Amino acid sequence: MTLMAPTGTLIPADAPFSAAQESWLAGFLAGIATAGRREAWAVDAPTTTVDVLFGTQTGTAEFLADELVSGARARGLGATPAALDAVTPERLAAMSHLLVVTSTYGEGEMPDNAGLFWEALSADAAPRLEGLRYAVLGLGDRGYDDFCQAAKLIDTRLEQLGAVRVHDRVDCDVDFEEPAAAWTTAVLDRLAAETGAPTTPAPAPSSAPGPAPRTRSPWNKRTPYRSRLAVNRLLSSPDSAKEIRHYEFELGDSGITYTAGDALAVLPVNDDALVGALLEHLGAHGDEDVDGQPLVEVLRTGREVRTPSKELVAELVERAPGSDLAAVVGHGDRAALDSWLWGRDVLDLLRDAGPAAPELPELLPLLRPLQARQYSISSSPLAHPDRIHLTVASVRYTTGHRRYEGVASTYLADRAGGGTDEPSAGVYLQPNTSFGVPADDDAPMVMIGPGTGIAPFRGFLHERAARGAAGRNWLFFGDQHRRTDFVYEDELARLRESGVLTRLDLAFSRDQAEKVYVQTRMREQSRELYGWLEEGAHVYVCGDASRMAKDVEAELLGVIARERGRGEEDAAQYLADLRRAKRYVRDVY
């Protein structure tokens, strides 16, 4: 028997083993060593995984979810983010720790990427969740009656299903940063203490799905970038009933990088004429000191004076029970109140209340902070890396004896440029990772955006042209009159001639006796539209959430039901599958 001298093993050189025996023993010892290494690694590995789910319409909740994941890993916890709609009831039932961050949009509705989750969670067949510990963070606007309704519904339903709340829900107003940060710290510290998480940071999964998180810009509503408005061009005809303008903001040295589908937030300045009328009504000069600032500047840049707050309405009803406002509120009809308030501003309500209206010191706390307005970006960074384009309709109308103007839209149209080359408007980026051109350049796109809803789709088409994407592109666009309201007509014609825009279906509602809308054109092209869906098309909708988007979705369901011939329930499931696959997404407001 020949003895083999082992090399690089724990077996002594003079051990009386054959080659076969030595080989087996070496493998056995190596296995023990490997197991030891795995056991040692497991000591430092996260023992608890926190599932962080988000429901978002504009991207803010997703960003906060990413911060939660980073904070959890820094505390030695495992953490994975996902959209709410990506989670099935079975997966939810298998979770041990859940953190939910969700916004609310419309009339207390779930965000687009949370509707399917809520449908399953609220169903009678939803699983029991006694083994789940959870907490919910809501994002919203107290100016709406259904403030943070989506978060409230999810929080309550999880408790009903037996889950245990780790921390009370926090409902954040538009200034969400501080309360969201406090909630994040409190929740994660508690989870780390409860689970005995290791003190060393947990590694991020090496195969985490999806694109790498985008780095958030240093520019925000507290520290906006002062950008020069380089272009302010009227798009609609002077004869149009609408005033639609094209704007271009220079990015300069901001370092802002955007993608087609993102939004730009603009910090507006209130109209000097309205501020002056309000000061006159209050008997103020404007130079009164308010926390170190002149009153006139507080009203110009710090408070909402165009839209009355709920707090102001309630205060005026109590102070002036005989006012018109009090009479409307007394009926308890929300729709009637919304109708009465439409178009009225703070000055109107103060005049309606008469002598009972609050004076300046009592009024200021009832005025909400002036908020940035977000607009869908209508350019592509591949085509315009140094500028961001916007497409905005200016709001102007007259009722009674007064002229009214939109806060931000007329600020952009009339005052933001200032007629100088100096930086003027405060802006910051609002990323929207859920609304963008398909990663697959061969995938077809269907874009539905009447009026200013065309904005992101102009950017999408420029993006695809710059990328040389082979995928077909179909745009449904419309407005009132072709002669006066066909914005970007020449540009769309060039995109068609170059082959980038495969199909363009137009719907100008008032050019004929019978009203024609984009959903009318969808119905007319039902078979081909369904054919595109079957070929993998991504469908995008941009525009008014309350009417247009709902009508378009109803028609899309109709197209699917007609062409499949399997009924409404099947069509709803088909559309739900498109939504889960992120092939049906909306940018609605």
Side-chain angles (χ1 to χ4, degrees):
M1 179 174 68
T2 304
L3 297 178
M4 302 292 295
T7 58
T9 75
L10 297 177
I11 306 172
D14 58 351
F17 299 134
S18 68
Q21 290 170 325
E22 180 186 341
S23 177
W24 179 90
L25 188 57
F28 175 76
L29 293 173
I32 292 176
T34 300
R37 287 195 296 271
R38 287 177 180 167
E39 185 175 320
W41 177 86
V43 171
D44 293 329
T47 56
T48 301
T49 295
V50 180
D51 286 279
V52 181
L53 306 183
F54 58 87
T56 188
Q57 201 69 35
T58 64
T60 301
E62 184 174 3
F63 173 78
L64 291 177
D66 288 339
E67 288 195 328
L68 270 172
V69 169
S70 298
R73 290 174 180 165
R75 290 165 173 81
L77 296 163
T80 57
L84 282 162
D85 274 358
V87 176
T88 63
E90 293 76 19
R91 181 180 165 191
L92 179 64
M95 293 177 182
S96 63
H97 294 81
L98 169 66
L99 301 179
V100 176
V101 185
T102 184
S103 62
T104 300
Y105 100 99
E107 299 299 324
E109 298 171 37
M110 294 285 164
D112 275 3
N113 68 344
L116 299 175
F117 173 85
W118 173 244
E119 183 179 323
L121 190 70
S122 58
D124 292 340
R128 297 295 299 173
L129 302 172
E130 276 82 1
L132 179 67
R133 296 178 66 76
Y134 78 97
V136 177
L137 178 68
L139 304 177
D141 184 338
R142 290 190 187 277
Y144 291 91
D145 289 337
D146 296 310
F147 171 61
C148 286
Q149 183 67 9
K152 293 173 182 176
L153 290 172
I154 291 174
D155 183 39
T156 301
R157 183 56 175 162
L158 289 172
E159 183 181 40
Q160 291 173 344
L161 293 172
V164 177
R165 191 179 291 108
V166 174
H167 192 282
D168 290 341
R169 186 189 72 250
V170 168
D171 297 328
C172 299
D173 202 355
V174 287
D175 291 324
F176 64 86
E177 288 86 354
E178 289 186 6
W183 179 90
T184 295
T185 299
V187 169
L188 293 179
D189 285 351
R190 181 163 183 176
L191 286 179
E194 283 187 0
T195 60
T199 56
T200 55
S206 59
S207 59
R214 292 170 58 179
T215 302
R216 198 175 201 190
S217 169
W219 310 110
N220 53 56
K221 60 186 174 185
R222 295 185 179 181
T223 57
Y225 176 69
R226 307 305 301 186
S227 174
R228 188 177 84 88
L229 181 57
V231 174
N232 175 352
R233 183 176 76 246
L234 183 66
L235 289 174
S236 52
S237 166
D239 300 329
S240 173
K242 299 182 177 183
E243 178 189 326
I244 301 177
R245 291 183 171 272
H246 173 88
Y247 301 100
E248 296 183 17
F249 285 94
E250 292 184 346
L251 296 179
D253 59 355
S254 67
I256 292 174
T257 58
Y258 72 99
T259 63
D262 286 344
L264 186 72
V266 177
L267 290 172
V269 175
N270 284 317
D271 180 28
D272 286 339
L274 175 57
V275 170
L278 189 57
L279 288 171
E280 181 180 359
H281 179 83
L282 293 168
H285 299 288
D287 56 359
E288 293 86 348
D289 181 80
V290 179
D291 297 328
Q293 277 190 301
L295 172 62
V296 64
E297 192 61 22
V298 171
L299 294 178
R300 288 182 71 248
T301 63
R303 297 289 193 277
E304 293 280 359
V305 297
R306 182 66 188 84
T307 304
S309 67
K310 290 171 59 179
E311 292 79 8
L312 177 60
V313 170
E315 180 73 13
L316 292 176
V317 168
E318 183 177 344
R319 285 171 170 265
S323 65
D324 291 343
L325 172 61
V328 175
V329 171
H331 289 304
D333 186 336
R334 176 176 167 179
L337 176 60
D338 289 343
S339 177
W340 190 89
L341 286 173
W342 187 90
R344 287 180 165 87
D345 57 24
V346 170
L347 181 58
D348 288 323
L349 267 62
L350 294 179
R351 287 173 172 173
D352 177 63
E359 296 185 0
L360 182 61
E362 301 162 307
L363 174 64
L364 285 178
L366 299 173
L367 302 180
R368 290 174 58 75
L370 183 60
Q371 295 300 315
R373 270 57 173 180
Q374 295 181 15
Y375 297 102
S376 300
I377 292 174
S378 56
S379 55
S380 160
L382 299 183
H384 302 95
D386 301 323
R387 291 186 177 184
I388 284 180
H389 299 183
L390 301 181
T391 308
V392 181
S394 304
V395 177
R396 308 180 196 269
Y397 56 92
T398 301
T399 60
H401 302 290
R402 288 191 59 196
R403 174 77 169 171
Y404 297 89
E405 296 183 341
V407 176
S409 64
T410 58
Y411 164 68
L412 289 173
D414 304 338
R415 306 185 297 280
T420 72
D421 290 335
E422 294 299 317
S424 51
V427 301
Y428 60 92
L429 190 71
Q430 180 62 58
N432 188 350
T433 58
S434 63
F435 194 85
V437 175
D440 180 1
D441 283 345
D442 293 329
M445 281 199 317
V446 176
M447 300 160 285
I448 306 165
T452 55
I454 194 177
F457 304 138
R458 176 179 182 265
F460 282 17
L461 291 169
H462 285 187
E463 178 88 2
R464 286 210 130 180
R467 281 161 55 163
R472 295 174 297 158
N473 305 301
W474 186 351
L475 174 64
F476 289 88
F477 171 75
D479 212 312
Q480 293 185 355
H481 301 284
R482 178 169 184 147
R483 185 182 69 83
T484 59
D485 304 316
F486 193 173
V487 299
Y488 299 119
E489 179 177 8
D490 293 343
E491 194 172 307
L492 292 174
R494 290 193 297 271
L495 287 166
R496 288 205 69 188
E497 290 169 4
S498 68
V500 174
L501 182 55
T502 312
R503 284 202 58 159
L504 175 62
D505 280 55
L506 301 170
F508 293 99
S509 60
R510 301 185 185 181
D511 277 350
Q512 59 284 311
E514 183 180 354
K515 297 287 181 65
V516 174
Y517 300 105
V518 287
Q519 56 266 32
T520 311
R521 300 304 185 210
M522 292 169 63
R523 189 179 312 121
E524 293 170 351
Q525 304 300 328
S526 180
R527 180 171 298 178
E528 185 164 359
L529 181 54
Y530 177 70
W532 279 50
L533 294 179
E534 285 291 275
E535 293 168 14
H538 292 235
V539 181
Y540 302 88
V541 180
C542 181
D544 172 60
S546 61
R547 290 173 295 179
M548 184 281 296
K550 290 182 178 179
D551 292 342
V552 164
E553 181 162 309
E555 189 55 51
L556 189 57
L557 284 166
V559 166
I560 296 167
R562 282 192 299 274
E563 302 307 323
R564 287 174 66 82
R566 302 177 189 176
E568 294 181 359
E569 187 174 339
D570 171 80
Q573 184 58 52
Y574 187 98
L575 190 62
D577 291 341
L578 291 181
R579 200 188 295 272
R580 287 192 188 93
K582 298 183 179 180
R583 287 179 48 207
Y584 172 54
V585 293
R586 308 189 304 169
D587 179 10
V588 295
Y589 41 85

